[in-house]
Amino acid sequence: MKDYDVCVIGSGAGGGPVAYTLAEAGYRVLVLEKGPWFTEKDFFKDEIVCCRRSVYTPELKDERHVLETPDGGGSWSAEPTSESGWDFWNGNCVGGSSNFMSGFFLRLKPDDFRLRSTYGAIAGANVVDWPIGYDELEPYYDKVEKLVGVSGKALPHPHADPRSSPDFPFPPTLEHPLADWLDRSCRDLDLHPLPTPRAILPAPALGRQGCAYSGYCGSYGCATGAKGSARAALLDKALASGRCELRPHSMVARLVGDARGQIAAVEYFDKDGRKQRVDARIYVVACQAVETARLLLRSTGPRHPKGLANRHGQVGRNLLFSAGGSGSGDLPYDHFTARQVDELKVFGPFLNRTLQDWYVIDDKALGGRVKGGSVEFLFQHPNPINRADRLKWGEDGLLWGEPLKRKLKAYFTGASHLRFEAFCDWLPTDDCRISLDPEVRDRWGLPVARVRAGYHPHDLKVGEYLAERSRAVLEHLGCVDVRSFVSGDPPSNLQAGGCRFGRDPKTSVLDPDCRAHGIDNLYVSDGSFMPTGGSVPYTFTIYANAFRVADQIVADLGGVRASRVKDRTG
Amino acid sequence: MQRRQFIIGSLGVALASTIPLRAVQAHVGAAAPESLLTPHAVRVLGSVLEGLLPGAPEGPGARDINATGYVLGILAHPRTPDSERHYLREGLLWLDELTPAASFETLTARQREEILRSFAASERGEAWLANLLGYVFEALFGDPAYGGNPGGVGWRWIEHQPGFPHPTPDKVYGKL
């Protein structure tokens, strides 16, 4: 008899739904998480822990990546992240990076599932249609909204996604007065501002507390449990079932293949560095895109000499980040009335506004009808240390003394600071991929991931298109010093792809159910499956697809166990 | 070697100066590394920090936020990489080399400013001061649990509303 029915590697948005669903269905689940186990009692609004030190992520001297970026001369330069400081870890703890997300939960749209057939090929990009359609994922978006808890308000919109439920199960979180200003500004420009759906409970529900509106959300762990992390929303309930076991500080070294090429066991290092072994009927990998590809690549064996599911060299290819850009603008208090300034200084509620008017762009300047993206409007993160650290640079170099203090005082007390983030497709290319570094090893002696992070020039055109129009919104609102930044640098917190799903084993790693081609008892349930990424943040889609995968695994194992059916029917 | 002895000394001696012990204890508890800075070097460090963040009339200064104690806490923290400790010490050496006639902390404010400008004119000097400013900002705007920003004086100065809950002493960086 196997130790467990299902072994899930990784406890974030990809692993949580699988653990929850399988435990609810009556199966014995083990979750292996490489990081520690924090709970609400460990989360504080502490900028030093959140954003100045490696607490939720490993020290780069112990665990690094090697990043390859274009050197400008047609070649690539490689540098360990321990030297550059460019961190590709995103929350290595129970619940993963979903603990620290902002929780912008926008759905993909039907055309995102058929990008190639809708918009055609783009030279130099490996754009393909998904093997499933929006209709197959929609029920799972709906499930996430209800089970994880998504707050929002469905409004009619030129690019509104089809919904099986007419509205969100939870009303929008409290909104900042500036949301009304922004709405008026957008409507003046014939745009359609949308309340941003958030994976945040506005009030107690689902056995969790509601949002405390402390003003610190993205990058911070949630002290109330209102944020729909995989830990708070799913794993805590899976554990309560008594059928799910979670082992933190468990770094999986490799998946071990048997003589038939199926997975026979998992080897992992425990907290004390001792190698352990465990087996299960089905194995699910959900380590986030870079680390999932790395684990499959290093799990070599006689039947898998190039790594698991890598017979055709597809593992690690077509890695995705999120393209787009960002921008900012200031609202100086001396430009507004006292009443308006009072509104601007409100602290705590969310701005929560999205524009999707440019989700499809039909403009000759971009060559006709092309896929566009989404724009989020938000306040600058409140973190005063990091903001001051950026302000220390003046036009002529470093500032200190009274000039620095005057600049700090004026910045923090003289204006409100807005920003926008544009999300558009990061086109899959041969120049964005994961491999194993031939030399650099982590603290367990395992080869680290080498990330080649090339981008397609088309991404910048779309990003600049969105940024230009978003700047106009801020200017119409009354912002000054409006600026934007678009580049091909990969946002390391928005990872997907690398194990794309598809019907052809020669061009994909996973089948349409996200089972590895040729390995019946191996699934991947994080964002690695995505052949194209769409133009919204990934977490909502990762959650939804992981629930879809989980249902398939339940079916593989024989369906919901009779005892659980009895429980459910009373 | 003499210069090195100027810099590296005993934390116990350093703490015998006027540095608030709480700032260091917040980081490392009672067990601090034995060898850190001499009292002389601590005074130089303090003078540099006061140059970077002077006190009144405009807002709190380095003394008001326990900046020196905070940086000593960084030096003593078990998770601070040795390379960072070495870098912080080396900068004090470089600065001392620019003031051959006297020790930095004995100069007038104007003279110190001239030295800092001269120091920042070099790439390595500017980078060192920029790094040190990062710690100044942590002492100015970080949670008081870390020993800086006493009573939230830095937050009040910029009318900043901190978030809740605040970290408890047993769950600050290094203890989580």
Side-chain angles (χ1 to χ4, degrees):
Chain A
M1 183 178 173
K2 300 285 188 183
D3 298 330
Y4 297 90
D5 294 310
V6 179
C7 176
V8 182
I9 303 166
S11 64
V18 177
Y20 172 87
T21 304
L22 269 293
E24 283 289 304
Y27 292 98
R28 294 168 299 129
V29 180
L30 172 67
V31 180
L32 298 174
E33 165 56 52
K34 79 187 280 281
W37 192 342
F38 298 116
T39 73
E40 278 75 21
K41 293 177 181 174
D42 300 309
F43 290 138
F44 303 91
K45 305 311 178 186
D46 180 348
E47 187 180 354
I48 288 176
V49 162
C50 150
C51 309
R52 304 282 297 176
R53 305 285 190 275
S54 298
V55 175
Y56 306 133
T57 54
E59 297 275 3
L60 292 175
K61 66 180 172 54
D62 297 326
E63 298 178 59
R64 66 201 73 176
H65 298 95
V66 174
L67 182 64
E68 292 183 355
T69 51
D71 69 356
S75 190
W76 299 86
S77 61
E79 185 178 28
T81 52
S82 51
E83 293 177 18
S84 66
W86 198 338
D87 198 336
F88 277 69
W89 298 110
N90 296 295
N92 283 192
C93 56
V94 173
S97 54
S98 64
N99 286 295
F100 312 109
M101 64 181 177
S102 294
F104 299 141
F105 268 31
L106 296 154
R107 299 178 176 202
L108 294 178
K109 299 183 187 301
D111 279 357
D112 285 315
F113 293 71
R114 49 190 186 226
L115 205 60
R116 173 66 178 261
S117 50
T118 303
Y119 298 96
I122 294 177
N126 304 323
V127 178
V128 294
D129 289 351
W130 288 28
I132 64 170
Y134 177 84
D135 289 351
E136 289 167 84
L137 203 57
E138 197 286 334
Y140 295 99
Y141 279 130
D142 189 66
K143 185 172 190 171
V144 173
E145 289 179 357
K146 292 168 179 165
L147 203 55
V148 173
V150 180
S151 55
K153 177 72 180 166
L155 295 179
H157 181 265
H159 300 293
D161 25 70
R163 301 178 51 83
S164 54
S165 297
D167 208 341
F168 290 88
F170 302 96
T173 50
L174 292 181
E175 291 182 348
H176 192 279
L178 191 63
D180 281 342
W181 297 27
L182 195 58
D183 285 346
R184 287 194 294 271
S185 180
C186 289
R187 287 175 187 138
D188 284 349
L189 299 169
D190 291 326
L191 300 172
H192 303 78
L194 304 169
T196 308
R198 302 291 293 267
I200 298 170
L201 296 174
L206 302 174
R208 291 150 45 201
Q209 295 183 53
C211 181
Y213 300 101
S214 75
Y216 293 72
C217 186
S219 302
Y220 286 85
C222 182
T224 69
K227 190 188 291 187
S229 72
R231 177 189 50 76
L234 301 172
L235 291 173
D236 283 356
K237 293 186 173 83
L239 293 162
S241 75
R243 289 178 292 278
C244 178
E245 181 185 344
L246 201 158
R247 295 182 191 169
H249 300 290
S250 299
M251 172 62 181
V252 171
R254 66 179 185 128
L255 292 149
V256 183
D258 64 15
R260 296 183 302 116
Q262 303 299 297
I263 306 302
V266 170
E267 288 180 355
Y268 69 94
F269 294 99
D270 66 15
K271 188 175 185 180
D272 299 320
R274 292 175 302 213
K275 192 173 268 189
Q276 306 284 356
R277 187 180 175 105
V278 68
D279 63 18
R281 295 165 68 188
I282 287 179
Y283 302 84
V284 182
V285 178
C287 308
Q288 204 162 62
V290 169
E291 291 302 302
T292 285
R294 177 189 172 211
L295 175 56
L296 297 189
L297 288 170
R298 72 170 180 258
S299 296
T300 56
R303 296 293 300 269
H304 304 285
K306 295 196 296 183
L308 296 173
N310 197 33
R311 177 178 302 174
H312 299 286
Q314 293 298 308
V315 173
R317 290 191 170 273
N318 297 301
L319 179 70
L320 303 171
F321 294 97
S322 181
S326 61
S328 62
D330 301 335
L331 292 165
Y333 295 147
D334 58 7
H335 289 199
F336 300 97
T337 66
R339 186 184 61 80
Q340 288 173 316
V341 170
D342 285 345
E343 288 189 358
L344 286 173
K345 288 186 173 179
V346 168
F347 186 76
F350 297 98
L351 184 53
N352 270 3
R353 282 300 179 271
T354 300
L355 283 176
Q356 293 195 315
D357 291 76
W358 311 294
Y359 209 81
V360 177
I361 300 169
D362 198 349
D363 193 315
K364 289 178 182 174
L366 287 183
R369 192 166 184 268
V370 299
K371 177 68 192 306
S374 309
V375 181
E376 295 292 335
F377 291 89
L378 55 162
F379 283 104
Q380 292 281 9
H381 283 299
N383 301 341
I385 301 172
N386 279 345
R387 289 207 276 179
D389 223 15
R390 289 193 292 271
L391 292 167
K392 70 188 177 189
W393 296 103
E395 291 181 0
D396 298 320
L398 190 66
L399 293 175
W400 67 82
E402 291 299 339
L404 173 65
K405 293 183 74 175
R406 283 194 296 273
K407 187 177 181 183
L408 292 175
K409 182 74 173 178
Y411 175 86
F412 283 106
T413 65
S416 288
H417 305 279
L418 291 187
R419 58 194 294 257
F420 64 81
E421 294 179 354
F423 297 87
C424 56
D425 286 73
W426 179 283
L427 292 177
T429 72
D430 289 341
D431 286 331
C432 195
R433 62 177 192 249
I434 302 297
S435 58
L436 295 182
D437 192 89
E439 296 175 1
V440 180
R441 307 233 159 197
D442 66 12
R443 68 187 177 100
W444 294 278
L446 304 169
V448 308
R450 192 175 180 94
V451 183
R452 175 168 288 194
Y455 63 92
H456 196 289
H458 180 83
D459 300 347
L460 301 192
K461 292 180 188 172
V462 177
E464 186 50 53
Y465 188 96
L466 297 177
E468 181 182 336
R469 281 146 187 82
S470 304
R471 289 199 305 268
V473 171
L474 292 188
E475 285 164 355
H476 192 72
L477 186 67
C479 286
V480 299
D481 199 17
V482 176
R483 56 185 71 186
S484 61
F485 182 71
V486 176
S487 87
D489 290 343
S492 52
N493 62 326
L494 294 162
Q495 302 177 12
C499 294
R500 56 171 38 177
F501 74 159
R503 300 189 190 285
D504 185 352
K506 292 180 181 173
T507 58
S508 57
V509 176
L510 310 172
D511 72 12
D513 293 327
C514 292
R515 183 187 354 233
H517 286 301
I519 308 176
D520 294 339
N521 66 344
L522 175 63
Y523 285 83
V524 172
S525 66
D526 60 17
S528 307
F529 78 100
M530 299 173 77
T532 56
S535 305
V536 295
Y538 294 136
T539 310
F540 193 7
T541 298
I542 294 170
Y543 264 134
N545 187 64
F547 275 113
R548 186 182 70 92
V549 173
D551 277 355
Q552 182 58 46
I553 296 172
V554 171
D556 277 7
L557 290 171
V560 175
R561 282 199 161 149
S563 59
R564 294 300 297 154
V565 174
K566 190 177 174 184
D567 288 349
R568 290 176 181 182
T569 57
Chain B
M1 191 62 195
Q2 281 183 332
R3 285 201 174 278
R4 192 153 297 279
Q5 286 169 347
F6 149 70
I7 292 295
I8 300 174
S10 158
L11 178 69
V13 175
L15 293 178
S17 65
T18 58
I19 305 308
L21 185 59
R22 181 169 167 264
V24 180
Q25 287 178 324
H27 286 281
V28 296
E34 291 181 5
S35 182
L36 283 166
L37 298 181
T38 63
H40 182 185
V42 171
R43 287 195 295 274
V44 173
L45 173 65
S47 299
V48 174
L49 292 168
E50 286 167 24
L52 295 178
L53 195 75
E58 177 59 270
R63 282 176 187 263
D64 305 312
I65 60 170
N66 297 332
T68 308
Y70 187 86
V71 175
L72 286 175
I74 295 294
L75 281 162
H77 198 288
R79 290 203 188 173
T80 299
D82 286 341
S83 58
E84 180 69 7
R85 288 195 188 92
H86 179 76
Y87 184 55
L88 285 167
R89 290 166 175 160
E90 283 296 300
L92 292 175
L93 275 174
W94 300 334
L95 199 61
D96 192 53
E97 288 168 359
L98 289 174
T99 53
S103 184
F104 184 84
E105 88 278 14
T106 64
L107 303 177
T108 65
R110 174 170 292 193
Q111 288 170 322
R112 290 180 198 172
E113 178 67 11
E114 287 174 2
I115 295 290
L116 288 179
R117 298 219 165 274
S118 172
F119 193 35
S122 69
E123 193 173 324
R124 75 171 185 174
E126 186 179 56
W128 187 84
L129 289 171
N131 183 61
L132 191 61
L133 266 175
Y135 294 125
V136 170
F137 294 140
E138 290 183 359
L140 182 59
F141 298 136
D143 194 278
Y146 289 92
N149 190 15
V153 63
W155 291 335
R156 281 200 303 279
W157 175 51
I158 59 165
E159 302 169 19
H160 175 74
Q161 186 170 324
F164 294 92
H166 291 299
T168 52
D170 60 325
K171 291 193 174 177
V172 293
Y173 171 68
K175 296 179 180 174
L176 271 172

